[in-house]
């Protein structure tokens, strides 16, 4: 009977991907089920549950018979009573904030249980490279991400969930495109000029963080200190993120469902200037031209500004495009998992579905995933586990989303007074014949599909009591299949009905690639306790082969936009391409960990890596050692008087090296590449040597020193972790210039040095105020300084079109431009100081740039570093509150000090067409000389050079998520055959405070890419449930 | 169970052993997308393929437009444009543009040197073909050195492939020696090159091209005797004549016409060029804001009235209210001015504030002078502007004629052949300007040939070198950059002025600075005066 009830909802649940409402129906149906009874209960138990320390009784504690849905929860007095099927059953007692206890009944009728509050670090175990360690015996800086908070973030992307959650781990969301979000991740600053992405290891093999469902994740560790990363050798320099996904659990089948349904909305619409003020500003701009005069009469301006009814078609306000283009979009996420098993075989099946509607037409992201994980106990000493994942990710976007013209670019650049779409379906066209809504709806589509499969098999063999052998085979294949289809479409003018615009041929760009990576690993682990000494030894061998092949093809002139397969295109002007590449890595590594009396701990790690990217025995292998030590002062006798206040105090120190091998393949190989030319109208082939080969190339190396303190106060009510580190990356893979007279492109070399230093602080506090009210708070704060120490005598290297610079003595990618001294105040001042434009072209109210080299001219030589692109004082604050059956959590993250370099429409003030912001209404006139914006002059750019005038403070604080939940009383849900049911409402990116917002910039917009085609950030509101059967 | 355990253990042991032992070359991966240098230079085909590649170093049409933009006849469109900044003394002198020229040319020279050094390794009996390949490489190398020495004066004369170490000590060669080298190489190449090719090889370097380039080089070097001789040699080949339609010279119709001596070959789709979107008016379909180079009033004013009189002549009939009427027809063939019909049939109207499709004040990318270049802008490319197959003319017969005339004038050997050469250019069928007659002084003839060169060869990459040779750059590139003349809404004649920047040309600008990085990497190089 009970079994039936338990399984009843499953069939419809499988289809739940479609509609949340379906699920409601299921619930509703269940509630009306007649004759719902429990299994025969022939053994009665009762008892009281208390806090071990305070002895106070604990209400609302869950007591569950293991492997069944039978359970109860304590009443206000902390008492419970329960009928169990069998006197030999086992109870699972769980309560948030306390360690879960598993208690065999052993025939007892009264079982009182004292729960131990979860200490903040205590006996927690942390995943480290190729193993696990007790948190107290860690000697290096490893951040253990609180999964409870990750889960409550209510976002489909694990990267978004861990943003700001750990000090020193910086994630910047560049694009919120559904199904294809773009993040920059760096750990403890940017080490290098090349790739700065940390290594991501999921279940032992290198995978992407991007598509990981937060619901499937069991733990995340972030290795920051060198003694932790050194074991990843040549790939560890940028830090390592270790993710473990969920494993099967023993016992009877458990089913859980988590899901939410919500609405996404554009996060930030910039405040724009009203029509009247905009036209007046334009007039001033026209008047300020040489021989200039106003273009609009006051009457015209009023007519335009006061337009109503159908006149709006001709005279739309600037904001209308934003209002039409972005709409609220539904978003939903569902995970259904089954786990259970016998002593010898356990299994976990997890199905998840994520669907994000885009806030733009034709944009969406969908993800389907199946995980099937099994643990087999082959014999007493042999365990075999497997993890199989299949994931299908579909991301759809309008064809012209990025670049120029494109949806977001056009929204900013030249469609400020364009009507989005007329009643007859035609689109308003700006004077460059474009319109973002038209591009979103008509330009075509990009469909990116990835099929991702992972198979990981582990065999654990206990060779003796102390010695374990572990072998792992891990394979993944990622099949990417992209199709970009540009429509052929025409637009007629709404008023004249004349053809206004023709997009030209339709065409299709197809791309597919296959990326496979095999990891094969052998580990020996030896662990022994001798008296007070604990020794752990790890030795490993690993090899990774990574193959990539790709194919692309192009056709155009399809019969119509519905014929999309390549075969339907014309054979005129078709083309294709493809590539193959292979890389290999072979490594040996080891670790020795020694602890004396759990008080003095030392550790050494080392890895020896060989890579196919480098040539010959001298350069192919690299050695990466690390050493670390910790001293738990709080275990010394002299600490006794202090223990009452400081119950845990540990000093840590580490030193180590890790590498970075991110460099193109085959740079050591002298070769010729194909070119083409044509004679008499016929294509001919050519061959040319184009690159210098560098046979001496090898890794770049980051050396890091870290000292840290872990402390816990007042019986672990408060916890503090502080780290200071210094990193130096040498032998940076840098393509140093060679004399151009060689006539070949230079090869990358090992040169240059970048240093980072910084500190990280995290404070936790946990308190049980009363029986009904508990809370915990976690705060973190970090800062990092980045500096280029050496470019081997070369540089500066200009980036991003000359607007950022890599230069010795400054942070990487510092903003580059003129130093603005304010406005010219008088003609006399203009006569007496160098001007950027000619003296005849400079007027009071124009920007005055500093003549830094004193040559009497303002030239490119007067540019200097005008800003630091790195966020400083990154912070996060996380709170969890529990009151009776209610819980509330929030997460605030932000940056205390950050600079942002404005560019493009936000500063151009309509002088080159483009959106005119409300702030732009404050411009210089003889009567308003303290204005934020300089003297407007149409077509003149002298005031919009990259300068310190446009470096703004982009510090921000953001309420990243907030959630209120209610757990239904156990006695009610149990009657429905449900173990636990929690319902909640949640919001993401609810509030953002920043001075950058009025300039239309989200605090996370990538510098120098403002408004140029990144999918805008979103906020979302959702409601969901967590359900365990 | 025990057996089973044993089996598993054995299996694992086998796997471990097999994995460790068998893959000794595991870390040696071999590229599959390129050719190893060790196996190249064996067959005549290797030589052919390497020579084919050299043609990519011929200047692109976009390069030629940029060369106009650093002279007085055109300007980078909009103040954010790097070329504008370069030629108006705002950008650092070794910023982008000059460095690109240096790098491009030395890359091409390396490729030529690779051919000339390695071609001898090839075993073949067809020495004539090999000599032809060598001559093509010699021509290309001379072509690139001519640009280099024009930009930078004394430059390292590198004639063999060198490695970075050797390159860090090479010294400059005197410009006169570089000109000697160019002359010798081109004369030698001319001897080994055919006058014409079969269709399959159409576009390869001919004898005429080598001689014509020599005429250009020697004119720039001020070696008028050699210049006149080489130009005359081209004229005497008897295979070139002026194409009757100036209007069609730079279109698909005019491709490979009788006046083309060397062109860079393009084919739609397969090997296209994109100069259309670099220069065409903003209102033409699908061009957006790409236009980067626009003409200035300097070139517009250089076109005579139809009657052959300059517009500054009070008797010329020039009407400032209708400034573009009754002018030398080449004005309307070379560029778009107010009132012209665009390839899409729309009337070109850039007048500021008049709301036309090309209104100067329209915003991003519209012309900032009120003019646009027309050469290579055709209706055929309108719907696919980055996919033009029009061959770009590198050297044409009209230049040779005018080079001949200028050299003879400078030598003060002004005979009838000089008048003939100039008039041949002026009286092309669809140009038909009044001939130059009578007996003019050397100074008058100098003025005439210079003006003729300016208008006939506008935007073809020669003006910058001309104004330096004539030492007039300081006069013509000084002060405000003037744009179109138009009648404003109140009926007054107005001249639009290009925003913010003035023309600036200092004495030092006759030579560009050696890129700073080159000086850093090679202490034997000496910077040009004034930089």
């Amino acid at each position: 009977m009970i079994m039936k009830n338990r399984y009843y909802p499953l069939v419809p649940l499988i289809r739940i991907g479609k509609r949340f409402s379906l699920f409601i129906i299921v619930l509703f149906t269940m509630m009306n089920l007649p004759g719902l009874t429990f299994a025969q209960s022939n053994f009665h138990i009762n008892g009281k549950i208390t806090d071990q320390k305070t002895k106070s009784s604990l209400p609302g504690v869950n007591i569950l018979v293991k492997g069944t849905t039978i359970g109860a929860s304590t009443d206000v007095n902390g008492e419970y009573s329960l009928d169990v099927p069998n006197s030999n059953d086992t109870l699972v007692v769980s309560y948030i904030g306390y360690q879960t206890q598993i208690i065999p009944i052993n025939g007892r009728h009264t079982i009182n249980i004292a729960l131990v509050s979860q200490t903040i670090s205590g006996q927690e175990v942390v995943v480290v490279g190729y193993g696990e360690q007790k948190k107290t015996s860690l000697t290096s800086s490893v951040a253990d991400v609180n999964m409870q908070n990750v889960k409550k973030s209510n976002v489909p992307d694990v990267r978004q969930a861990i943003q700001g959650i750990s000090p020193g781990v910086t994630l910047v969301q560049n694009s919120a495109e559904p199904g294809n979000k773009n993040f920059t991740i760096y750990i403890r600053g940017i080490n290098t000029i090349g790739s700065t992405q940390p290594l991501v290891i999921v279940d032992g093999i290198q995978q992407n963080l991007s598509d990981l469902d937060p619901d499937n994740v069991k733990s995340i560790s972030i290795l920051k200190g060198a003694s932790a990363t050194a074991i990843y050798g040549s790939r560890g320099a940028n830090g390592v993120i270790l993710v473990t996904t969920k494993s099967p659990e023993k016992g009877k089948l458990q089913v859980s469902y988590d899901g939410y349904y919500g609405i996404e909305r554009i996060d930030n619409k910039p405040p724009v200037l009203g029509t009247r003020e905009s036209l007046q500003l334009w007039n001033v701009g026209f008047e300020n031209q040489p021989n200039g005069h106003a273009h609009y009469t006051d009457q015209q301006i009023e007519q335009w500004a006061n337009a109503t009814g159908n006149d709006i078609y001709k005279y739309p306000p600037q904001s209308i495009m934003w209002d039409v283009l972005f709409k609220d979009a539904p978003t939903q996420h569902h995970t259904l998992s089954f786990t259970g098993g016998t002593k010898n075989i356990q299994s976990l099946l997890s199905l998840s579905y994520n669907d994000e509607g885009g806030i733009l037409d034709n944009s969406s992201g969908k993800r389907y995933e199946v995980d099937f994980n099994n643990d087999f106990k082959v014999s007493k000493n042999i365990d075999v586990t497997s993890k199989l994942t299949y994931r299908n990710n579909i991301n759809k976007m309008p064809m012209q989303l990025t670049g120029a013209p494109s949806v977001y670019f056009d929204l900013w650049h030249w469609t400020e007074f364009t009507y989005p779409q007329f009643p007859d379906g035609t689109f308003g066209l700006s004077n460059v014949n474009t319109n973002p809504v038209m591009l979103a709806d008509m330009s075509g589509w990009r469909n990116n599909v990835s099929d991702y499969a992972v198979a990981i098999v582990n065999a654990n063999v206990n060779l003796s009591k102390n010695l374990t052998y572990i072998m792992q085979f891990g394979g993944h294949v990622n099949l990417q299949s992209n199709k970009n289809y540009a429509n052929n479409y025409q637009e007629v003018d709404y008023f004249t009905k004349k053809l206004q615009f023709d997009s030209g041929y339709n065409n299709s760009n197809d791309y597919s690639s296959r990326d496979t990576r095999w990891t094969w690993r052998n580990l020996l682990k030896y662990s022994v306790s001798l008296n007070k000494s604990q020794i752990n030894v790890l030795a490993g061998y690993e090899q990774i082969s990574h193959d990539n092949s790709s194919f692309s093809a192009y056709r155009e002139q399809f019969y119509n936009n519905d014929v999309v397969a390549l075969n339907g295109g014309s054979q005129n002007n078709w083309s294709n391409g493809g590539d193959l590449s292979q890389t290999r890595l072979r490594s040996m590594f080891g670790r020795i960990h020694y602890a004396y009396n759990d008080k003095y701990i030392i550790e050494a790690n080392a890895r020896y890596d060989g890579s196919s990217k480098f040539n010959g025995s001298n350069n192919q292998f690299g050695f990466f050692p690390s050493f670390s030590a910790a001293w738990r002062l709080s275990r010394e006798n002299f600490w006794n008087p202090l223990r009452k206040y400081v119950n845990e105090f540990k000093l840590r120190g580490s030193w180590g090296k890790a590498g970075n091998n991110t460099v193109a393949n085959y740079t050591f190989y002298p070769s010729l590449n194909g070119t083409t030319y044509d004679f008499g109208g016929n294509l001919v082939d050519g061959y040319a040597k184009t690159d210098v080969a560098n046979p001496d190339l090898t890794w770049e190396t980051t050396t890091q020193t870290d000292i840290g303190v872990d402390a816990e106060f007042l019986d672990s009510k408060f916890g503090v972790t502080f780290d200071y580190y210094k990193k130096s990356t040498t032998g940076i893979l840098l393509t140093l210039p060679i004399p151009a007279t060689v006539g070949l492109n230079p090869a990358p070399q090992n040169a240059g040095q970048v240093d980072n230093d910084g500190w990280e602080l995290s404070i936790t506090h946990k308190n049980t105020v009363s029986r009904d009210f508990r809370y915990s708070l976690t705060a973190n704060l970090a800062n990092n300084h980045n500096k280029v120490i050496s470019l081997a005598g070369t540089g500066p290297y200009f980036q991003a079109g000359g607007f950022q610079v890599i230069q010795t003595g400054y942070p990487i990618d510092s903003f580059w431009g003129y130093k603005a001294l304010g406005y010219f105040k008088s003609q006399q001042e203009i006569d007496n100081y160098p001007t950027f434009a000619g003296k005849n072209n400079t007027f009071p109210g124009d920007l005055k740039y500093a003549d830094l080299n004193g040559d009497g001219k303002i030239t490119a030589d007067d540019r200097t570093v005008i800003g630091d692109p790195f966020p400083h004082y990154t912070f996060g604050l996380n709170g969890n509150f529990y009151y009776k059956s209610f819980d509330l959590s929030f997460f605030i993250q932000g940056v205390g000090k950050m600079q942002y370099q404005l560019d493009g429409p936000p500063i151009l003030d309509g002088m080159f067409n483009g959106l005119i912001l409300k702030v732009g209404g404050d411009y210089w006139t003889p009567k308003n000389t303290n204005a934020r914006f300089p003297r407007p002059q149409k077509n003149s750019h002298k005031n919009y050079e990259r300068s310190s005038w446009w470096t703004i403070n982009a510090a921000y604080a953001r309420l990243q998520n907030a959630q209120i939940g209610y757990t239904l009383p156990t006695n009610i849900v149990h009657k429905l055959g449900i173990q636990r049911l929690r319902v909640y409402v949640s919001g993401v990116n609810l509030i953002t405070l920043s001075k950058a917002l009025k300039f239309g910039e989200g605090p996370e917009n990538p510098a120098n890419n403002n408004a140029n085609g990144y999918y805008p950030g979103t906020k979302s509101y959702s409601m969901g449930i967590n359900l365990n059967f | 169970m025990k057996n089973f355990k044993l089996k598993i253990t054995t299996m694992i042991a086998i796997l471990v052993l097999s994995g460790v032992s068998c893959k000794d070359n595991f870390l040696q991966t071999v590229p599959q997308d390129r050719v190893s240098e060790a196996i190249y230079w064996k067959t005549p085909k290797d030589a052919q393929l390497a020579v084919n590649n050299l043609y990519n170093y011929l200047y692109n049409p976009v390069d030629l437009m940029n060369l106009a933009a650093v002279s007085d006849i055109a300007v980078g469109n909009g103040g954010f444009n790097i070329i504008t900044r370069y030629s108006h003394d705002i950008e650092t002198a070794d910023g982008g543009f000059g460095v690109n020229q240096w790098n491009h040319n030395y890359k091409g020279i390396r490729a030529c040197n690779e051919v000339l050094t390695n071609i001898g390794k090839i075993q073949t009996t067809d020495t004539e073909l090999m000599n032809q390949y060598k001559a093509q490489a010699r021509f290309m190398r001379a072509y690139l050195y001519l640009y280099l020495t024009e930009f930078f004066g004394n430059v390292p004369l590198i004639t063999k492939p060198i490695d970075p170490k050797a390159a860090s000590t090479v010294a400059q060669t005197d410009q006169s020696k570089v000109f000697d080298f160019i002359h010798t190489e081109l004369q030698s190449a001319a001897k080994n090159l055919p006058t014409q090719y079969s269709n399959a090889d159409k576009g390869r370097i001919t004898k005429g091209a080598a001689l014509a380039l020599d005429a250009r080089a020697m004119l720039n070097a001020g070696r008028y005797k050699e210049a006149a001789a080489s130009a005359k040699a081209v004229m005497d080949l008897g295979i070139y004549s002026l194409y009757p339609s100036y209007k069609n010279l730079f279109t698909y119709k005019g491709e490979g016409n009788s006046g083309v001596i060397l062109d860079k070959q393009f084919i739609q789709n397969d090997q296209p060029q994109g100069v259309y979107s670099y220069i065409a008016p903003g209102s033409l379909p699908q061009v957006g804001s790409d236009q980067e180079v626009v003409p200035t009033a300097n070139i517009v004013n250089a076109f005579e009235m139809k009657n052959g009189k300059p517009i500054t002549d009070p008797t010329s009939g020039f009407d400032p209210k209708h400034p573009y009427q009754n002018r030398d027809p080449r004005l309307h063939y070379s560029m778009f001015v107010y009132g012209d019909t665009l390839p899409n049939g729309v009337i070109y109207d850039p007048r500021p504030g008049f709301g036309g499709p090309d209104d100067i004040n329209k915003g991003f990318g519209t012309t900032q002078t009120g003019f646009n270049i027309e050469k290579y802008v055709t209706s055929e490319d309108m719907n696919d502007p980055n996919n033009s197959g029009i061959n770009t003319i590198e050297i044409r017969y009209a230049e040779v004629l005018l080079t001949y005339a200028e050299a003879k004038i400078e030598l003060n050997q002004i005979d009838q052949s000089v008048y003939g050469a100039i008039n041949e250019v002026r009286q092309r069928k669809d140009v038909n300007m009044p001939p130059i007659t009578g007996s003019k002084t050397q100074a008058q003839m100098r003025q005439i040939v210079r003006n003729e060169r300016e208008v006939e060869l506008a935007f073809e990459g020669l003006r910058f070198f001309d104004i330096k040779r004539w030492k007039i750059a300081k006069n013509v590139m000084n002060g405000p950059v003037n744009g179109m003349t138009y009648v404003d809404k109140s009926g007054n004649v107005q001249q639009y002025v290009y925003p913010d920047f003035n023309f600036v040309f200092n004495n030092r600008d006759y030579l560009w600075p050696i890129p700073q990085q080159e000086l850093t990497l090679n202490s034997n190089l000496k910077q040009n005066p004034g930089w």
Side-chain angles (χ1 to χ4, degrees), chain A residues 920-937:
Chain A
D922 178 24
Y923 52 88
W924 190 98
T925 64
K927 284 180 192 156
N928 183 24
T929 55
N930 265 334
R932 179 66 183 88
F933 280 66
R935 173 184 177 272
Q937 181 185 334

Side-chain angles (χ1 to χ4, degrees), chain A residues 678-681, chain B residues 195-199 201-204 206 239-245 248-266 376 389-397 428:
Chain A
D678 74 276
F679 292 114
Chain B
T195 51
Q196 269 160 330
Y197 286 95
S198 69
N199 268 345
D201 281 319
K202 201 169 178 199
R204 287 190 186 273
T206 59
I239 53 174
Y240 301 113
S241 63
L242 291 182
Y243 183 57
S245 168
N248 290 337
L249 252 180
F250 304 96
T251 66
Y252 288 98
K253 277 192 205 109
E255 264 193 340
N257 67 65
S258 57
V260 174
I261 297 173
L262 177 66
D263 53 1
K264 186 164 190 181
Q265 308 260 309
F266 293 99
Y376 301 111
I390 306 177
N391 295 343
T392 311
I393 300 174
E394 302 279 334
I395 309 174
R396 61 187 176 96
Y397 190 49
R428 190 194 298 261

